[in-house]
Amino acid sequence: GLILGTMVLYYLLKDGPMLTRRWVNSKADRADRDATERIVNKALQDVQGYFGGKTALALVNGVSIAIAMYFLGVPGALAIGVVNVIGAYIPYIGAFFGGAFAVLMALGEGGIGLALAAFALVMLAQLVLENLLEPKLLGSSLNLHPLTILLATTLGGMVAGMIGLILAAPVVAIVVDLKKELTAVGFFDDDD
């Protein structure tokens, strides 16, 4: 499922505008076609912006933790960095598993002292990136306030688990953009 989801996401991000044009051109009314194209293209931009921001944060996260582990002398610093890059795509939970991997590697190599040092560095990186930088960066890429991103992610995790953690922010951005577009075309106007 994860591999299939990744491939579908890749093709939607890569070929989304072309697929959108084909689907929209099948609509009869020109006004409906224009509104539909704007809505779908904005949704694709939201998803692209979200995953672009997540990728940048994941790379910063993984590289910074890998460098810190290398200078601490923890073996497998590159592997620790890769685990943290992958984990960065899963808000909160991924940081836990990536950090735990780094601490366990440090514990195996140098005992409790090295493990505590690794824990402190991982916590510093995770706290700065996950709680300060991520909501701000993703908020700007999705045109949402960082608090909205933080609350949406938390609520998404409570409602839909891990999938909710991952998809909450782009879904909120899509819903906000959809409401703006539908308001602009008069969808919510009373005809009474």
Side-chain angles (χ1 to χ4, degrees):
L2 182 61
I3 292 171
L4 176 63
T6 303
M7 295 305 297
V8 168
L9 179 64
Y10 168 76
Y11 284 113
L12 281 176
L13 295 176
K14 179 182 170 286
D15 297 332
M18 181 211 32
L19 295 172
T20 300
R21 270 191 297 291
R22 283 185 188 166
W23 181 67
V24 168
N25 286 337
S26 69
K27 302 294 176 203
D29 184 56
R30 180 71 185 159
D32 288 346
R33 283 197 309 253
D34 291 343
T36 303
E37 187 170 8
R38 284 191 306 271
I39 290 168
V40 172
N41 284 336
K42 186 60 180 147
L44 286 170
Q45 287 173 358
D46 288 338
V47 172
Q48 288 171 334
Y50 175 76
F51 282 103
K54 275 303 237 188
T55 300
L57 284 167
L59 291 172
V60 168
N61 185 28
V63 168
S64 64
I65 290 175
I67 290 171
M69 295 303 112
Y70 175 79
F71 283 116
L72 280 178
V74 177
L78 182 61
I80 292 169
V82 169
V83 168
N84 278 279
V85 166
I86 294 168
Y89 284 96
I90 306 167
Y92 311 116
I93 295 170
F96 172 78
F97 285 113
F101 181 62
V103 171
L104 290 174
M105 292 292 286
L107 182 64
E109 175 64 19
I112 194 78
L114 186 59
L116 287 173
F119 177 75
L121 288 173
V122 166
M123 287 301 293
L124 177 67
Q126 297 294 356
L127 287 173
V128 168
L129 291 172
E130 288 260 341
N131 296 314
L132 298 177
L133 189 59
E134 181 176 2
K136 184 148 182 72
L137 181 64
L138 292 180
S140 65
S141 71
L142 295 174
N143 286 333
L144 295 173
H145 192 276
L147 181 60
T148 304
I149 298 291
L150 190 62
L151 292 174
T153 303
T154 303
L155 184 61
M158 290 168 46
V159 171
M162 193 174 304
I163 296 296
L165 285 172
I166 296 169
L167 297 178
V171 166
V172 167
I174 290 168
V175 167
V176 167
D177 291 337
L178 178 62
K179 184 191 176 295
K180 286 178 186 174
E181 183 61 36
L182 290 176
T183 301
V185 297
F187 183 79
F188 298 112
D189 292 344
D190 281 336
D191 291 336
D192 297 338

PDB file of all heavy atoms in Angstrom, residues 13 22 24 39-40 56 61 75 80 94-95 100 105 107 111 114-115 117 123 151 161-162 168 179 184-186:
ATOM      1  N   LEU A  13       1.652  14.308  -8.852  1.00  0.00           N
ATOM      2  CA  LEU A  13       2.446  15.533  -8.791  1.00  0.00           C
ATOM      3  C   LEU A  13       3.129  15.830 -10.117  1.00  0.00           C
ATOM      4  O   LEU A  13       3.234  16.980 -10.530  1.00  0.00           O
ATOM      5  CB  LEU A  13       3.481  15.430  -7.664  1.00  0.00           C
ATOM      6  CG  LEU A  13       2.915  15.349  -6.247  1.00  0.00           C
ATOM      7  CD1 LEU A  13       4.029  15.154  -5.238  1.00  0.00           C
ATOM      8  CD2 LEU A  13       2.094  16.580  -5.914  1.00  0.00           C
ATOM      9  N   ARG A  22      -7.245  17.456 -19.234  1.00  0.00           N
ATOM     10  CA  ARG A  22      -8.072  16.481 -19.950  1.00  0.00           C
ATOM     11  C   ARG A  22      -9.441  16.339 -19.293  1.00  0.00           C
ATOM     12  O   ARG A  22     -10.457  16.305 -19.974  1.00  0.00           O
ATOM     13  CB  ARG A  22      -7.390  15.111 -19.964  1.00  0.00           C
ATOM     14  CG  ARG A  22      -6.274  15.006 -20.938  1.00  0.00           C
ATOM     15  CD  ARG A  22      -5.770  13.597 -20.963  1.00  0.00           C
ATOM     16  NE  ARG A  22      -4.565  13.479 -21.762  1.00  0.00           N
ATOM     17  CZ  ARG A  22      -3.765  12.441 -21.746  1.00  0.00           C
ATOM     18  NH1 ARG A  22      -4.029  11.410 -20.977  1.00  0.00           N
ATOM     19  NH2 ARG A  22      -2.701  12.418 -22.503  1.00  0.00           N
ATOM     20  N   VAL A  24     -10.961  18.441 -17.176  1.00  0.00           N
ATOM     21  CA  VAL A  24     -11.717  19.689 -17.189  1.00  0.00           C
ATOM     22  C   VAL A  24     -12.285  19.964 -18.577  1.00  0.00           C
ATOM     23  O   VAL A  24     -13.408  20.437 -18.711  1.00  0.00           O
ATOM     24  CB  VAL A  24     -10.834  20.863 -16.711  1.00  0.00           C
ATOM     25  CG1 VAL A  24     -11.479  22.191 -16.987  1.00  0.00           C
ATOM     26  CG2 VAL A  24     -10.537  20.712 -15.232  1.00  0.00           C
ATOM     27  N   ILE A  39      -9.709  25.139  -9.169  1.00  0.00           N
ATOM     28  CA  ILE A  39      -9.795  24.370  -7.919  1.00  0.00           C
ATOM     29  C   ILE A  39      -8.802  23.207  -7.932  1.00  0.00           C
ATOM     30  O   ILE A  39      -8.040  23.005  -6.987  1.00  0.00           O
ATOM     31  CB  ILE A  39     -11.228  23.861  -7.685  1.00  0.00           C
ATOM     32  CG1 ILE A  39     -12.154  25.032  -7.348  1.00  0.00           C
ATOM     33  CG2 ILE A  39     -11.269  22.808  -6.589  1.00  0.00           C
ATOM     34  CD1 ILE A  39     -13.631  24.686  -7.375  1.00  0.00           C
ATOM     35  N   VAL A  40      -8.798  22.435  -9.005  1.00  0.00           N
ATOM     36  CA  VAL A  40      -7.926  21.265  -9.075  1.00  0.00           C
ATOM     37  C   VAL A  40      -6.458  21.685  -9.113  1.00  0.00           C
ATOM     38  O   VAL A  40      -5.614  21.093  -8.433  1.00  0.00           O
ATOM     39  CB  VAL A  40      -8.306  20.371 -10.276  1.00  0.00           C
ATOM     40  CG1 VAL A  40      -7.299  19.261 -10.475  1.00  0.00           C
ATOM     41  CG2 VAL A  40      -9.696  19.804 -10.092  1.00  0.00           C
ATOM     42  N   ALA A  56      12.268  19.352   2.124  1.00  0.00           N
ATOM     43  CA  ALA A  56      13.335  20.251   2.586  1.00  0.00           C
ATOM     44  C   ALA A  56      13.584  20.064   4.077  1.00  0.00           C
ATOM     45  O   ALA A  56      14.748  19.967   4.514  1.00  0.00           O
ATOM     46  CB  ALA A  56      12.953  21.701   2.288  1.00  0.00           C
ATOM     47  N   ASN A  61      16.721  17.898   8.616  1.00  0.00           N
ATOM     48  CA  ASN A  61      16.654  17.071   9.811  1.00  0.00           C
ATOM     49  C   ASN A  61      17.665  15.925   9.746  1.00  0.00           C
ATOM     50  O   ASN A  61      18.465  15.735  10.654  1.00  0.00           O
ATOM     51  CB  ASN A  61      15.231  16.530   9.967  1.00  0.00           C
ATOM     52  CG  ASN A  61      15.026  15.760  11.237  1.00  0.00           C
ATOM     53  OD1 ASN A  61      15.688  15.994  12.239  1.00  0.00           O
ATOM     54  ND2 ASN A  61      14.087  14.835  11.206  1.00  0.00           N
ATOM     55  N   PRO A  75      28.485   5.041  15.546  1.00  0.00           N
ATOM     56  CA  PRO A  75      28.610   4.327  14.268  1.00  0.00           C
ATOM     57  C   PRO A  75      27.300   4.395  13.475  1.00  0.00           C
ATOM     58  O   PRO A  75      26.218   4.502  14.049  1.00  0.00           O
ATOM     59  CB  PRO A  75      28.902   2.884  14.704  1.00  0.00           C
ATOM     60  CG  PRO A  75      28.328   2.773  16.068  1.00  0.00           C
ATOM     61  CD  PRO A  75      28.476   4.140  16.691  1.00  0.00           C
ATOM     62  N   ILE A  80      21.669   6.571  10.353  1.00  0.00           N
ATOM     63  CA  ILE A  80      20.837   7.329  11.290  1.00  0.00           C
ATOM     64  C   ILE A  80      20.216   8.520  10.572  1.00  0.00           C
ATOM     65  O   ILE A  80      19.038   8.823  10.741  1.00  0.00           O
ATOM     66  CB  ILE A  80      21.662   7.780  12.518  1.00  0.00           C
ATOM     67  CG1 ILE A  80      22.052   6.559  13.345  1.00  0.00           C
ATOM     68  CG2 ILE A  80      20.895   8.790  13.358  1.00  0.00           C
ATOM     69  CD1 ILE A  80      23.077   6.851  14.426  1.00  0.00           C
ATOM     70  N   GLY A  94       7.478   9.850  13.471  1.00  0.00           N
ATOM     71  CA  GLY A  94       8.726   9.604  12.755  1.00  0.00           C
ATOM     72  C   GLY A  94       9.927  10.148  13.506  1.00  0.00           C
ATOM     73  O   GLY A  94      10.998   9.528  13.531  1.00  0.00           O
ATOM     74  N   ALA A  95       9.758  11.299  14.137  1.00  0.00           N
ATOM     75  CA  ALA A  95      10.841  11.878  14.932  1.00  0.00           C
ATOM     76  C   ALA A  95      11.179  10.974  16.106  1.00  0.00           C
ATOM     77  O   ALA A  95      12.357  10.803  16.466  1.00  0.00           O
ATOM     78  CB  ALA A  95      10.439  13.264  15.428  1.00  0.00           C
ATOM     79  N   ALA A 100      15.003   7.526  18.481  1.00  0.00           N
ATOM     80  CA  ALA A 100      15.260   6.296  19.238  1.00  0.00           C
ATOM     81  C   ALA A 100      16.349   5.470  18.568  1.00  0.00           C
ATOM     82  O   ALA A 100      17.215   4.900  19.247  1.00  0.00           O
ATOM     83  CB  ALA A 100      13.977   5.486  19.371  1.00  0.00           C
ATOM     84  N   MET A 105      21.782   3.337  18.851  1.00  0.00           N
ATOM     85  CA  MET A 105      23.101   3.147  18.230  1.00  0.00           C
ATOM     86  C   MET A 105      24.197   3.717  19.130  1.00  0.00           C
ATOM     87  O   MET A 105      25.257   3.114  19.289  1.00  0.00           O
ATOM     88  CB  MET A 105      23.142   3.801  16.850  1.00  0.00           C
ATOM     89  CG  MET A 105      22.273   3.129  15.822  1.00  0.00           C
ATOM     90  SD  MET A 105      22.843   1.495  15.352  1.00  0.00           S
ATOM     91  CE  MET A 105      24.251   1.901  14.355  1.00  0.00           C
ATOM     92  N   LEU A 107      24.003   4.121  22.405  1.00  0.00           N
ATOM     93  CA  LEU A 107      24.060   3.287  23.604  1.00  0.00           C
ATOM     94  C   LEU A 107      24.891   2.036  23.344  1.00  0.00           C
ATOM     95  O   LEU A 107      25.723   1.649  24.174  1.00  0.00           O
ATOM     96  CB  LEU A 107      22.642   2.904  24.038  1.00  0.00           C
ATOM     97  CG  LEU A 107      22.507   2.057  25.307  1.00  0.00           C
ATOM     98  CD1 LEU A 107      23.022   2.839  26.511  1.00  0.00           C
ATOM     99  CD2 LEU A 107      21.063   1.642  25.512  1.00  0.00           C
ATOM    100  N   GLY A 111      27.842   3.412  25.497  1.00  0.00           N
ATOM    101  CA  GLY A 111      27.214   3.357  26.800  1.00  0.00           C
ATOM    102  C   GLY A 111      26.256   4.508  27.040  1.00  0.00           C
ATOM    103  O   GLY A 111      25.876   5.254  26.139  1.00  0.00           O
ATOM    104  N   LEU A 114      27.255   8.370  26.056  1.00  0.00           N
ATOM    105  CA  LEU A 114      27.112   8.704  24.635  1.00  0.00           C
ATOM    106  C   LEU A 114      25.632   8.717  24.240  1.00  0.00           C
ATOM    107  O   LEU A 114      25.196   9.566  23.455  1.00  0.00           O
ATOM    108  CB  LEU A 114      27.892   7.715  23.773  1.00  0.00           C
ATOM    109  CG  LEU A 114      27.962   8.017  22.281  1.00  0.00           C
ATOM    110  CD1 LEU A 114      28.612   9.384  22.033  1.00  0.00           C
ATOM    111  CD2 LEU A 114      28.726   6.933  21.554  1.00  0.00           C
ATOM    112  N   ALA A 115      24.867   7.811  24.806  1.00  0.00           N
ATOM    113  CA  ALA A 115      23.426   7.767  24.508  1.00  0.00           C
ATOM    114  C   ALA A 115      22.741   9.043  24.985  1.00  0.00           C
ATOM    115  O   ALA A 115      21.869   9.585  24.288  1.00  0.00           O
ATOM    116  CB  ALA A 115      22.792   6.542  25.153  1.00  0.00           C
ATOM    117  N   ALA A 117      24.158  12.001  25.340  1.00  0.00           N
ATOM    118  CA  ALA A 117      24.594  13.089  24.461  1.00  0.00           C
ATOM    119  C   ALA A 117      23.832  13.029  23.136  1.00  0.00           C
ATOM    120  O   ALA A 117      23.376  14.061  22.616  1.00  0.00           O
ATOM    121  CB  ALA A 117      26.101  13.006  24.225  1.00  0.00           C
ATOM    122  N   MET A 123      17.057  15.564  20.418  1.00  0.00           N
ATOM    123  CA  MET A 123      15.929  16.344  20.953  1.00  0.00           C
ATOM    124  C   MET A 123      16.018  17.802  20.514  1.00  0.00           C
ATOM    125  O   MET A 123      15.005  18.406  20.151  1.00  0.00           O
ATOM    126  CB  MET A 123      15.880  16.247  22.477  1.00  0.00           C
ATOM    127  CG  MET A 123      15.400  14.913  22.980  1.00  0.00           C
ATOM    128  SD  MET A 123      13.750  14.477  22.404  1.00  0.00           S
ATOM    129  CE  MET A 123      12.765  15.693  23.219  1.00  0.00           C
ATOM    130  N   LEU A 151      -2.379  22.688  14.750  1.00  0.00           N
ATOM    131  CA  LEU A 151      -3.653  22.152  15.227  1.00  0.00           C
ATOM    132  C   LEU A 151      -4.238  21.122  14.257  1.00  0.00           C
ATOM    133  O   LEU A 151      -4.787  20.097  14.681  1.00  0.00           O
ATOM    134  CB  LEU A 151      -4.648  23.282  15.466  1.00  0.00           C
ATOM    135  CG  LEU A 151      -4.312  24.217  16.633  1.00  0.00           C
ATOM    136  CD1 LEU A 151      -5.293  25.382  16.678  1.00  0.00           C
ATOM    137  CD2 LEU A 151      -4.273  23.480  17.950  1.00  0.00           C
ATOM    138  N   GLY A 161      -5.207   8.779  12.841  1.00  0.00           N
ATOM    139  CA  GLY A 161      -3.936   8.108  13.095  1.00  0.00           C
ATOM    140  C   GLY A 161      -2.807   8.654  12.242  1.00  0.00           C
ATOM    141  O   GLY A 161      -2.728   9.851  11.967  1.00  0.00           O
ATOM    142  N   MET A 162      -1.936   7.751  11.825  1.00  0.00           N
ATOM    143  CA  MET A 162      -0.744   8.155  11.098  1.00  0.00           C
ATOM    144  C   MET A 162      -1.079   8.815   9.757  1.00  0.00           C
ATOM    145  O   MET A 162      -0.456   9.801   9.373  1.00  0.00           O
ATOM    146  CB  MET A 162       0.169   6.954  10.867  1.00  0.00           C
ATOM    147  CG  MET A 162       1.545   7.354  10.400  1.00  0.00           C
ATOM    148  SD  MET A 162       2.709   5.989  10.284  1.00  0.00           S
ATOM    149  CE  MET A 162       2.657   5.319  11.916  1.00  0.00           C
ATOM    150  N   ALA A 168      -3.218  15.810   7.081  1.00  0.00           N
ATOM    151  CA  ALA A 168      -4.072  16.860   7.655  1.00  0.00           C
ATOM    152  C   ALA A 168      -3.772  18.245   7.094  1.00  0.00           C
ATOM    153  O   ALA A 168      -4.689  18.970   6.698  1.00  0.00           O
ATOM    154  CB  ALA A 168      -3.947  16.864   9.176  1.00  0.00           C
ATOM    155  N   LYS A 179     -13.128  26.520  -0.509  1.00  0.00           N
ATOM    156  CA  LYS A 179     -14.135  27.459  -0.004  1.00  0.00           C
ATOM    157  C   LYS A 179     -13.959  28.840  -0.642  1.00  0.00           C
ATOM    158  O   LYS A 179     -14.937  29.475  -1.042  1.00  0.00           O
ATOM    159  CB  LYS A 179     -14.066  27.579   1.508  1.00  0.00           C
ATOM    160  CG  LYS A 179     -15.167  28.488   2.056  1.00  0.00           C
ATOM    161  CD  LYS A 179     -14.946  28.812   3.513  1.00  0.00           C
ATOM    162  CE  LYS A 179     -15.976  29.772   4.034  1.00  0.00           C
ATOM    163  NZ  LYS A 179     -15.927  31.097   3.436  1.00  0.00           N
ATOM    164  N   ALA A 184     -16.042  32.708  -4.485  1.00  0.00           N
ATOM    165  CA  ALA A 184     -15.787  33.634  -5.591  1.00  0.00           C
ATOM    166  C   ALA A 184     -16.743  33.405  -6.766  1.00  0.00           C
ATOM    167  O   ALA A 184     -17.127  34.356  -7.441  1.00  0.00           O
ATOM    168  CB  ALA A 184     -14.345  33.512  -6.065  1.00  0.00           C
ATOM    169  N   VAL A 185     -17.137  32.167  -7.001  1.00  0.00           N
ATOM    170  CA  VAL A 185     -18.045  31.894  -8.113  1.00  0.00           C
ATOM    171  C   VAL A 185     -19.507  31.969  -7.695  1.00  0.00           C
ATOM    172  O   VAL A 185     -20.387  31.685  -8.506  1.00  0.00           O
ATOM    173  CB  VAL A 185     -17.758  30.536  -8.791  1.00  0.00           C
ATOM    174  CG1 VAL A 185     -16.358  30.518  -9.404  1.00  0.00           C
ATOM    175  CG2 VAL A 185     -17.976  29.362  -7.864  1.00  0.00           C
ATOM    176  N   GLY A 186     -19.783  32.315  -6.442  1.00  0.00           N
ATOM    177  CA  GLY A 186     -21.151  32.515  -5.980  1.00  0.00           C
ATOM    178  C   GLY A 186     -21.877  31.261  -5.561  1.00  0.00           C
ATOM    179  O   GLY A 186     -23.104  31.249  -5.486  1.00  0.00           O
TER     180      GLY A 186
END
